Amino acid sequence: MRRLFGNFVILLIPAALLLLTGCETMNGGGMVANSEFEKFTPQPKEKRVIQEVKLRWEVREDVSQFCAKSIGMGREQAYFTPPVACAVWHVAKKECVIITGTETTHLALGHEVRHCFEGHFHK
């Protein structure tokens, strides 16, 4: 299993890919990437990482630091593209935790919910 964070593989864990995370970041200058506004086709149920998810939302004042550490972001990258939210999912337990700051957007929350169902969808 591997632990995947955003676009980075940082820790080796058992081969079944049970614990995964995804992360929403702002690109340089605090702007949301244009790709976040594009339409997408949801994965069919049989291709989703988890089909029925137990979802929890955690609000943290230190969301950027917490999520950057969770995905193994270097200091410089975290400074220039700080995470605004992230999702941590556990396939075997069918659980997902979304972490946001004390202020967030529907866009960030929706992005992380998609990670809960479809896993690591960034290509």
Side-chain angles (χ1 to χ4, degrees), residues 4-5 15 52 62 74 100 104:
L4 300 175
F5 296 101
E52 294 182 20
D62 66 342
T100 68
T104 193

Side-chain angles (χ1 to χ4, degrees), residues 15-85:
L17 292 174
L18 294 179
L19 182 62
L20 303 163
T21 69
C23 193
E24 171 73 6
T25 62
M26 300 291 259
N27 64 20
M31 302 295 293
V32 175
N34 286 337
S35 62
E36 290 299 315
F37 298 101
E38 295 174 1
K39 292 182 179 183
F40 68 92
T41 302
Q43 290 291 321
K45 271 184 121 176
E46 62 276 1
K47 290 190 176 183
R48 293 180 187 163
V49 173
I50 306 174
Q51 292 182 26
E52 294 182 20
V53 177
K54 182 194 296 183
L55 186 64
R56 187 166 54 93
W57 182 4
E58 185 176 325
V59 177
R60 299 180 63 110
E61 289 189 21
D62 66 342
V63 65
S64 292
Q65 296 86 355
F66 179 87
C67 289
K69 184 177 179 182
S70 294
I71 65 171
M73 244 185 196
R75 281 186 147 191
E76 187 174 305
Q77 183 182 5
Y79 176 79
F80 288 108
T81 58
V84 296

Side-chain angles (χ1 to χ4, degrees), residues 68-107:
K69 184 177 179 182
S70 294
I71 65 171
M73 244 185 196
R75 281 186 147 191
E76 187 174 305
Q77 183 182 5
Y79 176 79
F80 288 108
T81 58
V84 296
C86 56
V88 180
W89 61 95
H90 192 282
V91 176
K93 292 181 180 180
K94 298 181 179 181
E95 295 177 342
C96 187
V97 180
I98 295 174
I99 296 100
T100 68
T102 55
E103 290 186 352
T104 193
T105 66
H106 291 99
L107 185 70

